[in-house]
Amino acid sequence: MKHLISLLLCLICTHAVAQTPVEYAYGPDPLQRFDLYQPANAQDAPIFVMLHGGGWRFGDKANTRVWRVKVGHWVPQGALVISVNTRLMPTADPIDQTRDLGRALAMIQQNAVNWGGDPDKIILMGHSAGAHVAALLATRNDIRQTAGLHPLAGTILLDSASLDVQMMMHGDPTRLHRNAFGNDPAFWQAASPATHVSRNEGPFLIICSAQRATACPNARSFGAAATARGNSVTIMPVALSHMDINARLGEPNSYTAAIDNWIAARN
């Protein structure tokens, strides 16, 4: 009964939040856009920036699984939530998508105060392929410098099996990963967050599905590389499916509470 009441309250809360975002362009391509969801009278608010999954080829910022429950959870608490699109394959490979995300984040940092947000309290999140792109941005110092990015408050990676691209591609990659990363080991290295991670790039919270064979080993490989270079890394295996790790974040459950606790410990 308590769970049912909490769920109903969450649905009411979600409905009460303005569901029509303001869309901003950060580049000339029609996909170089993000949606801003914000509470009224926000001031010095934390900002959650979310990049959808979709195998580097599909997905959209407006997909309700990407934003709805997250907006219903965080916006009533006074936070801003931003859902980002980047260009996709075949127009843009995963590294180009990372450059797009960097441009979007730079614009968010530059305008955060105008929207009632705090540019020093930006949490970057990504799911699946979006988690890989978020991790690559967090670890590719050259891409961050080109975009003009300042350090982020943290990065939350939602169930990516591509944090150590070299390890994955030397193993038994899926067709999806072969299509995304090709056959060139030099590109695997350039696109691998575990290869580029250096100091002061965390903290990282890595959620991995215990139901998948590759996600948690890949998370641990990346985590070992990041920790060895002095970064704070928390790896959280969960008994949720790949899709539910994204869709259920923001529901009134222990999974959301654990993520909120991780965020609170860093503010």
Side-chain angles (χ1 to χ4, degrees):
M1 179 60 73
K2 287 183 178 179
H3 176 74
L4 179 59
I5 292 172
S6 297
L7 181 58
L8 288 172
L9 288 173
C10 179
L11 291 173
I12 292 169
C13 185
T14 301
H15 182 71
V17 173
Q19 301 290 290
T20 303
V22 179
E23 185 181 64
Y24 291 90
Y26 64 88
D29 191 275
L31 284 176
Q32 292 173 319
R33 303 286 188 274
F34 58 78
D35 290 339
L36 168 65
Y37 300 86
Q38 62 189 126
N41 304 315
Q43 186 174 3
D44 299 325
I47 304 172
F48 296 91
V49 179
M50 178 68 192
L51 179 61
H52 63 79
W56 301 274
R57 191 175 292 269
F58 305 103
D60 190 85
K61 60 183 173 58
N63 186 310
T64 55
R65 283 177 168 259
V66 175
W67 64 267
R68 177 173 287 169
V69 181
K70 300 174 186 68
V71 167
H73 177 64
W74 280 311
V75 170
Q77 297 180 41
L80 281 62
V81 175
I82 296 175
S83 184
V84 181
N85 270 354
T86 68
R87 292 171 299 157
L88 298 169
M89 294 178 63
T91 301
D93 65 32
I95 298 176
D96 289 329
Q97 293 174 32
T98 303
R99 295 188 178 101
D100 277 6
L101 181 59
R103 291 180 67 180
L105 272 167
M107 181 175 171
I108 291 165
Q109 287 181 334
Q110 291 161 9
N111 290 276
V113 173
N114 297 331
W115 300 329
D118 186 336
D120 294 325
K121 295 181 181 177
I122 296 177
I123 298 287
L124 175 60
M125 299 185 294
H127 173 241
S128 193
H132 163 263
V133 172
L136 193 59
L137 181 62
T139 56
R140 284 282 302 261
N141 186 52
D142 58 328
I143 295 178
R144 294 197 311 276
Q145 286 185 341
T146 298
L149 275 182
H150 303 296
L152 301 174
T155 304
I156 300 176
L157 308 175
L158 303 175
D159 206 41
S160 170
S162 309
L163 301 178
D164 189 334
V165 174
Q166 290 178 294
M167 180 185 77
M168 178 185 66
M169 296 303 292
H170 282 297
D172 186 22
T174 65
R175 178 182 296 179
L176 182 149
H177 291 115
R178 289 196 298 271
N179 288 339
F181 298 107
N183 299 313
D184 183 0
F187 186 80
W188 302 347
Q189 180 178 13
S192 180
T195 301
H196 295 282
V197 67
S198 59
R199 293 190 179 278
N200 301 318
E201 292 177 338
F204 295 97
L205 174 61
I206 308 174
I207 313 297
C208 59
S209 172
Q211 299 178 11
R212 296 211 297 161
T214 56
C216 288
N218 211 277
R220 285 190 286 269
S221 179
F222 172 82
T227 301
R229 291 166 176 82
N231 295 287
S232 171
V233 181
T234 302
I235 297 175
M236 186 190 301
V238 294
L240 292 172
S241 71
H242 178 65
M243 299 305 291
D244 280 347
I245 281 176
N246 174 47
R248 299 194 63 186
L249 175 53
E251 290 182 0
N253 53 36
S254 58
Y255 166 52
T256 298
I259 292 177
D260 279 344
N261 290 338
W262 183 86
I263 294 167
R266 279 142 191 89
N267 288 336

